[in-house]
Amino acid sequence: MGRLESEMPRQRPEEKDVAGHPRAADKGSSDVIISIRDLHKSFGGHEVLKGVNLDVEVGSTVVILGVSGSGKSVLMKHVIGLLRPDSGDVFVDGRSLSRTDEHGLQEVRRGFGMVFQTAALFDSMSVYGNVSFPLREHFRKMPESEIRERVSEKLAILGLSGHEDKFPGELSGGMRKRVGLARAVIMEPKIVLYDEPTTGLDPITTDDVDNMIMQAREALQVTSVVISHDIRSAFKVATKLAVLYDGRIVAEGQPEEIANHPHPHVRKFVGTHFHGS
Ligand SMILES: Nc1ncnc2c1ncn2[C@@H]1O[C@H](COP(=O)(O)OP(=O)(O)OP(=O)(O)O)[C@@H](O)[C@H]1O
Ligand SMILES: [Mg+2]
């Protein structure tokens, strides 16, 4: 899945603009898995997204930073087709979501794993029960031996071997997050979306979650999109950062570029973390 994608030929040089960025028209090119194009969305008279453009490359971890109310969740909901744009489009694997019907969108959503702010585990089910749940739902005839094998593999990658029989109530916050991720990746999605994964966690658990996001990228080859307002975590896990402000992506680039970005809002938002207050 994700692995195959990353082995596909890289984009040809003539498909890039002078700055080396893929051109807007390249929504179907092999190394961009999500392409957000000129996305507009209003609620009533309130314009939340005013022309958002963003590409997510295969195998990358893109962190979308923005203050509360800037429209991060609204943007994320367009990426999984839960909201329809007023204009503009989102392309997933080259497929236009605005031209995809509800049935097709369900298919697209199956390619995504979602990790929510609260791990949203089933409290009455063991770790094994939680992680195997999507397999049982989708492959009703899968033999138990195969289920066990697949679950063990994911648990091992995420450092959860030996905890199969525990219940969520017996786990720490960081472990619950890892179980949530194991469940999100058990169907081997190409893309995992994290909505505010570290908000409200202590620094040690935050580190744990950051490591887990990096592990998912390295060991499982997934592409990740992380919504965050935790600047420290964002700079640790991101291969690319994008800052959403006033309905647009006002800064986009590698962590060093964002740390030194001239845009006043970006300086204010990330500056204190790097340059002191
Ligand atoms: N379904 C909706 N109907 C009307 N307004 C909405 C709807 N969803 C979001 N909004 C508005 O869009 C704006 C952006 O909301 P959004 O939830 O995307 O912010 P956010 O960046 O995710 O904030 P937070 O960091 O607090 O989660 C807010 O003003 C919100 O009230
Ligand atoms: Mg939100």
Side-chain angles (χ1 to χ4, degrees):
M1 299 190 66
R3 177 173 212 120
L4 266 180
E5 289 289 330
S6 60
E7 285 165 5
M8 284 163 79
R10 307 289 294 176
Q11 219 169 26
R12 292 187 304 277
E14 65 270 29
E15 288 175 335
K16 305 222 169 166
D17 67 19
V18 283
H21 299 300
R23 284 203 194 119
D26 290 347
K27 64 238 177 198
S29 63
S30 59
D31 65 353
V32 172
I33 190 162
I34 301 172
S35 185
I36 300 167
R37 291 287 140 229
D38 204 22
L39 200 67
H40 287 77
K41 184 69 177 180
S42 298
F43 295 104
H46 180 200
E47 213 180 352
V48 177
L49 303 180
K50 304 179 183 176
V52 172
N53 288 290
L54 184 67
D55 284 333
V56 176
E57 289 80 17
V58 171
S60 65
T61 296
V62 175
V63 180
I64 300 171
L65 278 168
V67 296
S68 190
S70 57
K72 303 182 297 296
S73 294
V74 168
L75 180 59
M76 199 65 111
K77 284 176 188 161
H78 283 86
V79 171
I80 50 174
L82 285 177
L83 283 173
R84 295 271 186 187
D86 296 337
S87 65
D89 209 344
V90 177
F91 298 86
V92 176
D93 251 346
R95 181 175 184 171
S96 156
L97 297 194
S98 72
R99 281 182 269 138
T100 300
D101 63 12
E102 188 49 40
H103 182 262
L105 288 176
Q106 283 174 16
E107 205 175 278
V108 172
R109 271 177 222 133
R110 277 201 288 276
F112 284 96
M114 290 285 296
V115 181
F116 299 98
Q117 186 167 349
T118 52
L121 301 175
F122 302 114
D123 287 333
S124 61
M125 281 186 195
S126 67
V127 167
Y128 183 76
N130 268 284
V131 177
S132 61
F133 186 81
L135 290 175
R136 292 181 206 287
E137 283 284 288
H138 285 89
F139 307 108
R140 292 183 184 270
K141 294 192 178 119
M142 183 178 278
E144 194 61 32
S145 57
E146 191 178 342
I147 291 179
R148 191 157 286 281
E149 201 176 301
R150 290 200 189 191
V151 171
S152 301
E153 184 208 5
K154 296 295 183 283
L155 292 182
I157 290 168
L158 294 169
L160 289 165
S161 299
H163 298 287
E164 287 82 349
D165 298 329
K166 292 197 173 138
F167 286 83
E170 303 173 86
L171 305 174
S172 69
M175 284 166 86
R176 277 201 292 276
K177 288 268 184 182
R178 280 187 272 150
V179 175
L181 179 62
R183 191 175 62 186
V185 298
I186 195 72
M187 298 296 290
E188 312 213 321
K190 286 185 188 179
I191 309 164
V192 179
L193 305 181
Y194 300 85
D195 194 353
E196 312 258 358
T198 58
T199 302
L201 296 179
D202 64 76
I204 292 169
T205 311
T206 295
D207 264 354
D208 218 23
V209 172
D210 290 342
N211 291 333
M212 161 189 108
I213 294 172
M214 293 190 283
Q215 237 162 348
R217 186 169 102 82
E218 285 154 21
L220 303 169
Q221 278 99 36
V222 296
T223 303
S224 304
V225 181
V226 183
I227 288 186
S228 185
H229 44 218
D230 182 333
I231 290 164
R232 186 176 166 276
S233 285
F235 275 81
K236 187 170 164 195
V237 304
T239 57
K240 178 162 97 176
L241 284 155
V243 181
L244 183 62
Y245 174 69
D246 194 25
R248 295 184 184 89
I249 301 294
V250 295
E252 180 185 337
Q254 303 199 335
E256 316 82 77
E257 293 173 73
I258 299 302
N260 299 301
H261 202 280
H263 190 286
H265 175 73
V266 179
R267 289 187 67 80
K268 195 171 157 201
F269 191 41
V270 306
T272 48
H273 180 69
F274 290 95
H275 313 299
S277 50

